[in-house]
Amino acid sequence: MSSMKSVDDHLSDILRTVRVLAPLEVELERALGTTLAEEVTAPVALPPFDNSAMDGYAVRAEDVADAPVTLPVIDDIAAGDGRLQAIGPGMVMRIMTGAPLPAGADAVVPVEWTDGGTAQVAIGRPVREGNAIRRSGEDVRAGDVVLPAGTPIGPAQLGVLAGLGRRRVLVRPRPRVVVISTGAELVEPGLPLGAGQIWESNSFALVAAVREAGGEGYRAGIVGDDAAGFLDQLDAQLLRADLVITSGGVSMGAYEPVKEALGPLGTVRFERVAMQPGMPQGFGVVGEDQIPIFALPGNPVSSFVSFVLFVRPALRKMGGLPEEPTPTVRALTTGPLHSPEGRRSYLRGVLGPGGTVGPVSRQGSHQLAALASANALIVVPEDVTELPEGTDVEVIPL
Ligand SMILES: Nc1nc2c(c(=O)[nH]1)N[C@H]1C(S)=C(S)[C@@H](COP(=O)(O)OP(=O)(O)OC[C@H]3O[C@@H](n4cnc5c(N)ncnc54)[C@H](O)[C@@H]3O)O[C@H]1N2
Ligand code: MOO
Ligand SMILES: [Mg+2]
């Protein structure tokens, strides 16, 4: 039996091969979930001008120091009022939240502290200088770097970009990922099953996982166990792909179209990775543009686990995010665990309350429903075959 490649070596080969995607200018509406490819500075201060934090009256604090006092209201300032207003000693203006502070005013009295008058107003208590005023530049000064390149764009970052007047922004685009399923036994869900057939599920799970990982996933349908047909489909799909995932056809059978088609190219290596599930799989590049391709095993749990361990980090890198190990937590096992010698196991488990984790009862790599009942993968190292209940283990939350 040929020797196996470690999970860590396989991942580092992958990360060495995939490249960060070229920056692309996109509309703000399309930037959520991407990574900034430019440094964003503020063209103006935020707030751009001194303004009121409350609905009330713009005053000179010294004029209301002996409150209660009654003072004349010389004008109203609404938010958006562009007039350059000013007040003199002994005068006030009615002002709304967000409206520009008139020159000469140094405090705002909230309407709750007054009788709400419009021609004149009775002010019930004094205010400190600066009360309820939001100063220009208090959030951001003009020229400040607000978002450095490499920032992941979430809702708050998107909001601040709009708040800085941006309509378009330079980002690392979402990787476009095409998923091709292979297998003569596969039928589109929704169509009737014939003898010996099963409904195709891997591409649905993988496309969903791609989307969750920040990529744009497309199903390229099912190709049978025919290497030439697979290559035709691959050629057609490469036009719209930054990355390709195939499922099935990589093991030791008589009909392994992916291995048969890609093996001879010399740019895709088929390995036995020392893991369970997911041992047989390939990785490399295809086409003129050297598009990365993951040839994942057909067993549904195997392709899913391989996605988590290998494809997700590759998508992160392509999308401009820093490399980081797959996030894990520690937990105590609620039952004994078994694992094959020489392969790192990723047992399907349930993370419970209080930092415990238990394996689900069905651990076969074809048992997709068991995966769906799990919320974690329990990592058992290569050299460990049995673990008693109560062992502290590493867990990948799903
Ligand atoms: N003699 C050996 N046989 C197998 C070995 C081995 O080392 N020696 N490895 C086993 C392991 S481990 C795995 S994993 C699988 C990998 O198989 P393939 O990648 O060649 O995939 P297929 O043969 O096409 O399918 C395997 C299994 O998965 C089902 N499948 C495939 N695609 C889908 C899909 N899109 N949706 C749902 N189910 C799918 C398929 O029907 C098969 O049952 O090889 C073992 N064999
Ligand atoms: O390695 Mo296979 O993924 O066990 O079923
Ligand atoms: Mg096979």
Side-chain angles (χ1 to χ4, degrees):
M1 240 174 50
S2 62
S3 68
M4 286 189 270
K5 182 183 187 186
S6 76
V7 171
D8 300 334
D9 285 352
H10 193 52
L11 179 60
S12 38
D13 282 352
I14 290 164
L15 291 179
R16 219 185 356 262
T17 303
V18 300
R19 303 267 166 257
V20 182
L21 296 178
L24 181 74
E25 200 179 67
V26 297
E27 292 287 331
L28 214 49
E29 288 86 341
R30 299 206 51 209
L32 181 68
T34 64
T35 307
L36 258 186
E38 60 171 315
E39 181 179 85
V40 174
T41 54
V44 296
L46 291 183
F49 46 87
D50 294 351
N51 67 94
S52 179
M54 299 188 86
D55 302 316
Y57 296 85
V59 301
R60 290 153 31 106
E62 67 188 70
D63 293 344
V64 298
D66 299 326
V69 291
T70 296
L71 296 170
V73 179
I74 61 166
D75 208 341
D76 262 11
I77 320 173
D81 189 331
R83 295 172 296 168
L84 290 176
Q85 300 269 56
I87 61 169
M91 310 167 190
V92 308
M93 280 189 190
R94 200 153 72 122
I95 192 166
M96 307 305 147
T97 305
L101 191 73
D106 60 13
V108 169
V109 181
V111 68
E112 293 87 335
W113 299 356
T114 73
D115 67 354
T118 50
Q120 57 174 35
V121 61
I123 293 177
R125 49 188 276 194
V127 287
R128 267 180 293 113
E129 200 179 309
N131 187 67
I133 292 176
R134 306 189 291 206
R135 293 288 173 200
S136 171
E138 221 169 57
D139 190 16
V140 167
R141 286 161 307 170
D144 275 358
V145 175
V146 182
L147 300 171
T151 302
I153 302 180
Q157 291 71 28
L158 204 68
V160 85
L161 285 163
L164 293 169
R166 298 296 296 267
R167 191 73 222 191
R168 299 172 70 79
V169 64
L170 201 61
V171 299
R172 304 285 170 187
R174 296 169 182 280
R176 296 163 307 161
V177 181
V178 169
V179 180
I180 307 174
S181 289
T182 68
E185 74 282 24
L186 304 176
V187 176
E188 279 287 331
L191 297 181
L193 275 189
Q197 296 184 322
I198 59 167
W199 282 301
E200 199 280 315
S201 61
N202 287 352
S203 67
F204 289 91
L206 291 168
V207 162
V210 164
R211 292 195 179 141
E212 230 177 43
E216 281 176 8
Y218 306 98
R219 291 185 68 234
I222 302 167
V223 295
D225 286 337
D226 149 40
F230 168 75
L231 274 182
D232 284 348
Q233 175 66 294
L234 180 61
D235 263 355
Q237 295 300 330
L238 279 180
L239 295 174
R240 60 164 178 173
D242 299 310
L243 185 142
V244 176
I245 301 174
T246 67
S247 96
V250 302
S251 189
M252 309 292 288
Y255 313 98
E256 305 289 20
V258 176
K259 201 170 176 180
E260 233 175 274
L262 300 180
L265 300 180
T267 56
V268 181
R269 287 181 54 163
F270 288 86
E271 323 265 9
R272 285 155 40 87
V273 182
M275 62 192 276
Q276 167 64 34
M279 179 182 68
Q281 54 181 296
F283 174 76
V285 293
V286 281
E288 254 173 55
D289 296 331
Q290 311 241 297
I291 301 295
I293 184 166
F294 286 85
L296 301 185
N299 274 324
V301 181
S302 313
S303 60
F304 183 88
V305 170
S306 302
F307 181 94
V308 171
L309 297 180
F310 304 127
V311 186
R312 204 163 67 181
L315 290 176
R316 277 183 62 88
K317 175 166 181 188
M318 293 171 80
L321 291 171
E323 278 178 33
E324 67 170 32
T326 297
T328 60
V329 298
R330 309 279 322 177
L332 293 180
T333 57
T334 58
L337 303 180
H338 317 281
S339 166
E341 164 100 63
R343 292 162 76 178
R344 192 182 296 173
S345 279
Y346 295 91
L347 300 174
R348 278 64 75 203
V350 175
L351 265 175
T356 58
V357 70
V360 301
S361 57
R362 290 159 288 136
Q363 292 289 336
S365 55
H366 58 298
Q367 288 171 316
L368 185 56
L371 172 68
S373 73
N375 64 9
L377 298 172
I378 308 169
V379 186
V380 183
E382 291 79 343
D383 55 348
V384 175
T385 54
E386 303 292 334
L387 283 177
E389 181 184 331
T391 309
D392 180 52
V393 287
E394 184 180 22
V395 177
I396 301 172
L398 292 176

